[in-house]
Amino acid sequence: MTIDHQACDFAIYGILGDLSRRKLLPALYQLDREGLLHDDTRIIGIARHDLNRQSFLDHIREGLHRFIKEDLDNDVVNRLLARMHYLLVNLDVPDEYSRIKTFADQKKRLLINYFSVAPFLFGDICSGLAHAGIIEPSTRVVLEKPIGRDLASSREINDIVAKYFSETQIYRIDHYLGKETVMNLLALRFANSIFTTNWDHNTIDHVQITVAEEVRVGSRWGYFDKSGQLRDMVQNHLMQILTLVAMEPPVNLHDDSLRNEKLKVLKALRPITHDNIDDMVVRGQYGRGYIRGNEVPGYLEEAGGNPASTTETFVAIRVDIDNWRWADVPFYLRTGKAMATKRSEVVIHFKRLPHNIFADSYQNLPPNKLIIRLQPDEGVEIEMLNKVPGIGQGLQLQRTMLDLSFCEAFNNSRIADAYERLLLDIMQGRQALFIHREEVERSWQWIDSIQNGWQQSHEPPKTYPAGSWGPVASVALLARDDREWEE
Ligand code: NAP
C-alpha cells in the first residue's frame, strides 16, 4: 500500500469514551496494520482524567484486545501505541487548550480534531481551539452524529462550528457512508450498464429499505427515549441509503458531485404532514416478546424506563420522490429495535412483465428482485426465474437466486469497518463521504414535519411483539398498495 497523504496530528476529544474504544482506535490499528498511516502521524488522546502515559497506553491496549476480534499483531500494536500521546484537557476550560497548542507547535502541521463527545461540547471545543490560537486554514474538524435533534438544533450546532471553520474544513460523519456495501451501491449502479439503464420508473415498481436491529434499547433507554427511531436511524442512515439509491449519476466521485446529487433527492421528497401521516407512516413500540427463544420485556418495562413513554422503537414510511425518474415509484423504509433478526438490505422490486407466455405452467410470473445485503453477510442477490431441467413435464419454471457473497467472491478477505475508510478519507482530505450542512438540514426539515404530524395526532405508537417484524399496521401500509415486505 502507498501513503498518499501528509503526516498529521490526529486529536481525538473523548479518547476514553465508548466510540473511541470500540470504533476509532480499532480502525486506526487496522490502518496502521495496512501501512496506511504516515510514519510520522501522531494520535493525540484528549480527556479530563489525570492519567500518566503508562496507564493511558494500558487502557488503549486493553481496548484494542477487547474490541478487535482477530488476533492482534503485537508489532502493530506497539507501533500504534508509540504514536499515541495523552493530553489532559477539560473541554469546558478554555485555558487548558494551550496544552494542545504547545504540543501541536512541536511539529506545526495538519491538525485533525475528531469530536468524539456529545454535541453540546462542540461549541466549547471550537472556541477553546480559537482561544488557544490553534486554528489554521488547513485545520479539520470531524463531527459525530447526532447533529441536533431537529432542524433548529442542527442549525445551532452548524452555526457554532461555522463561526470557526469553513464547510471545506468540516467532516460530518454518518458511518453508513463508509460501509463497504453501501459504497458498492455506487459501483453496482454506475459501473454496470445492466443497472444504469434499468433504474427508473420504467422498470422499477418500488424499493424497500430495511434496517432491522435485533437488540433492544436496554441500558441506553434514557438516551434513546429522547430521540426515538425516526431521529436515531431514519434521519441519518436510512436517508443516506435512500439518496444513494435514488440520486442521478454524479459527474464523478469528487466531493461536491456526490453530495449535490444526494441533496437534489432530499429536495424532491414529498412532505409528510399531519394531513397524510396516517397513510404514509407507521410508528411502533415493542412489547414483551421472544428473541432467540428468550422472553424479553417490552420497551416500557425495560429497567429505568418510563411506562408512559410514547417514543417509537419502530417506524415504517412510504416515501415518494417527486422527480422525473421516480414518478409513482414508492420507497418503503422500515427500521426498528427488538426485531426478528439483525438485517439491513435494499430490495429493488422490478415491474411485472406485460404478458405471460408461460401461463400453462406458471400462471403468475413473479417480478425480478435485486437484493443488496448491507449486513450481515454482505452481498448482492438477483431473484429470477429459470427453466427446470427436463423434458417430460412441459416447461416448468422455478425461482432461483444469483447470489454474490462478497466474502466468498473476494476470497474471504476481511471487510473493512466503515470507520477505517472514513478516517483515511479525513486524513486524505476527501469529503465525498461526509455529510454537507445542507443535507443535514434538509433531512431534518423533512423529519420534523413527520414529528409534528405525530404530535398533532396524539395517536400512541402501535405495539409489536419483541422478536417480530413490527406492528401489523406496517404490513397494511404495503398491502394498501397491493405489495408486501420482503421477509
Ligand atoms: P461517551 O462514552 O460518553 O464518551 C464521551 C467522552 O467525552 C467521555 O469519555 C467523557 O469523559 C468525555 N467528556 C465529556 N465531557 C468532557 C469534558 N468537559 N472534558 C473532557 N472530556 C469530556 O460517548 P460515546 O459513546 O463515545 O459518544 C461520543 C459521541 O459519538 C456522541 O456524540 C455520540 O452520540 C456519538 N456516537 C457514538 C457512537 C457509539 O457507538 N458510541 C456511535 C455513533 C455516534 P468522562 O469520562 O470524563 O465523562
Side-chain angles (χ1 to χ4, degrees):
M1 296 274 186
T2 51
I3 303 271
D4 59 356
H5 58 275
Q6 53 184 309
C8 62
D9 280 344
F10 195 93
I12 302 178
Y13 300 77
I15 189 74
L16 304 178
D18 180 64
L19 180 70
S20 299
R21 270 163 73 76
R22 278 195 314 111
K23 291 292 179 184
L24 306 185
L25 289 161
L28 287 166
Y29 165 88
Q30 297 294 1
L31 290 177
D32 212 350
R33 193 178 63 80
E34 301 261 355
L36 290 170
L37 289 188
H38 195 288
D39 283 348
D40 207 17
T41 282
R42 302 187 296 183
I43 299 161
I44 310 170
I46 293 170
R48 58 181 166 184
H49 298 271
D50 195 5
L51 293 179
N52 62 32
R53 178 169 173 80
Q54 194 50 52
S55 37
F56 170 62
L57 295 185
D58 288 347
H59 180 80
I60 301 295
R61 189 189 292 274
E62 189 271 326
L64 294 175
H65 278 280
R66 181 167 343 162
F67 292 108
I68 298 177
K69 290 187 192 105
E70 70 216 55
D71 288 341
L72 293 188
D73 179 332
N74 276 327
D75 290 344
V76 179
V77 173
N78 291 334
R79 195 162 70 222
L80 183 70
L81 294 184
R83 299 174 183 280
M84 303 221 42
H85 304 268
Y86 181 70
L87 293 181
L88 164 65
V89 179
N90 193 332
L91 298 175
D92 35 38
V93 181
D95 286 345
E96 295 196 2
Y97 287 78
S98 59
R99 294 180 191 144
I100 306 175
K101 166 86 172 148
T102 308
F103 189 82
D105 278 354
Q106 294 168 356
K107 299 258 183 181
K108 281 199 179 299
R109 64 215 180 157
L110 169 63
L111 175 65
I112 295 171
N113 300 278
Y114 197 116
F115 297 177
S116 182
V117 292
F120 72 83
L121 284 166
F122 292 179
D124 285 343
I125 305 179
C126 291
S127 63
L129 291 171
H131 178 76
I134 299 174
I135 301 175
E136 302 283 337
S138 64
T139 307
R140 296 175 194 160
V141 284
V142 187
L143 310 184
E144 262 296 341
K145 77 155 203 176
I147 310 285
R149 64 186 315 277
D150 52 22
L151 178 59
S153 54
S154 71
R155 277 195 180 139
E156 232 172 81
I157 294 172
N158 285 329
D159 283 345
I160 289 180
V161 179
K163 266 171 70 181
Y164 303 94
F165 296 97
S166 67
E167 190 61 28
T168 55
Q169 295 174 283
I170 302 171
Y171 293 70
R172 292 183 197 79
I173 296 246
D174 182 326
H175 74 272
Y176 265 59
L177 284 186
K179 281 181 186 283
E180 197 67 41
T181 37
V182 174
M183 287 308 11
N184 193 47
L185 259 172
L186 292 181
L188 199 73
R189 281 198 60 192
F190 302 120
N192 294 289
S193 56
I194 181 178
F195 295 126
T196 44
T197 51
N198 284 299
W199 206 266
D200 61 16
H201 63 96
N202 288 310
T203 45
I204 293 179
D205 177 74
H206 74 283
V207 177
Q208 298 184 12
I209 301 175
T210 295
V211 176
E213 303 173 276
E214 196 182 275
V215 289
R216 305 180 347 255
V217 175
S219 60
R220 291 176 65 227
W221 206 97
Y223 163 80
F224 180 83
D225 196 62
K226 291 194 201 88
S227 53
Q229 197 73 356
L230 183 69
R231 292 188 175 110
D232 200 41
M233 295 296 291
V234 180
Q235 183 274 331
N236 37 56
H237 307 323
L238 277 91
M239 295 301 259
Q240 285 300 322
I241 299 172
L242 170 88
T243 54
L244 288 175
V245 174
M247 72 182 182
E248 295 301 312
V251 284
N252 52 38
L253 291 178
H254 300 165
D255 300 351
D256 282 340
S257 311
L258 201 65
R259 304 200 297 185
N260 287 342
E261 294 307 334
K262 288 194 291 160
L263 183 59
K264 285 185 206 160
V265 176
L266 293 171
K267 287 180 176 172
L269 296 183
R270 189 179 303 166
I272 296 178
T273 63
H274 175 59
D275 298 332
N276 59 356
I277 195 163
D278 290 342
D279 296 332
M280 311 295 270
V281 184
V282 173
R283 66 170 171 158
Q285 194 181 62
Y286 65 87
R288 185 174 284 273
Y290 288 85
I291 295 182
R292 293 178 185 252
N294 299 318
E295 188 170 16
V296 296
Y299 179 69
L300 301 179
E301 305 159 327
E302 296 278 9
N306 165 12
S309 169
T310 57
T311 299
E312 79 289 352
T313 60
F314 172 95
V315 57
I317 313 178
R318 174 185 159 132
V319 182
D320 290 277
I321 302 173
D322 286 327
N323 66 13
W324 191 284
R325 183 181 288 268
W326 297 114
D328 291 329
V329 181
F331 282 61
Y332 299 98
L333 314 185
R334 140 179 97 154
T335 178
K337 306 253 186 285
M339 295 193 62
T341 187
K342 174 180 167 146
R343 192 171 87 200
S344 300
E345 67 184 18
V346 177
V347 185
I348 312 289
H349 289 252
F350 290 92
K351 287 198 157 152
R352 283 186 185 280
L353 291 169
H355 175 65
N356 179 7
I357 64 167
F358 304 99
D360 288 347
S361 57
Y362 214 106
Q363 296 199 340
N364 203 356
L365 288 184
N368 295 123
K369 279 185 245 174
L370 168 68
I371 302 169
I372 303 160
R373 297 191 307 262
L374 306 178
Q375 66 181 25
D377 185 22
E378 295 87 345
V380 176
E381 288 170 42
I382 300 177
E383 189 179 299
M384 49 199 304
L385 285 170
N386 275 292
K387 181 190 170 299
V388 180
I391 49 174
Q393 304 144 0
L395 208 155
Q396 298 287 325
L397 299 178
Q398 184 179 307
R399 282 194 220 206
T400 43
M401 288 298 211
L402 282 182
D403 188 351
L404 170 70
S405 159
F406 289 172
C407 197
E408 284 169 25
F410 299 103
N411 285 335
N412 289 313
S413 53
R414 189 182 71 86
I415 292 184
D417 184 76
Y419 277 93
E420 295 171 38
R421 172 190 306 278
L422 296 176
L423 296 193
L424 186 61
D425 279 4
I426 296 163
M427 292 181 208
Q428 292 171 330
R430 293 189 214 200
Q431 284 192 304
L433 300 184
F434 298 86
I435 318 291
H436 193 278
R437 171 177 185 154
E438 257 197 280
E439 282 181 80
V440 177
E441 295 182 3
R442 272 283 167 181
S443 159
W444 272 125
Q445 190 180 5
W446 191 77
I447 293 287
D448 279 2
S449 172
I450 298 179
Q451 209 76 52
N452 293 340
W454 281 342
Q455 263 167 20
Q456 287 176 48
S457 82
H458 300 292
E459 271 260 327
K462 311 239 179 320
T463 306
Y464 61 97
S468 72
W469 280 104
V472 180
S474 150
V475 178
L477 179 77
L478 269 69
R480 267 204 300 276
D481 298 341
D482 211 11
R483 299 183 174 112
E484 57 187 37
W485 289 108
E486 182 73 17
E487 308 241 309

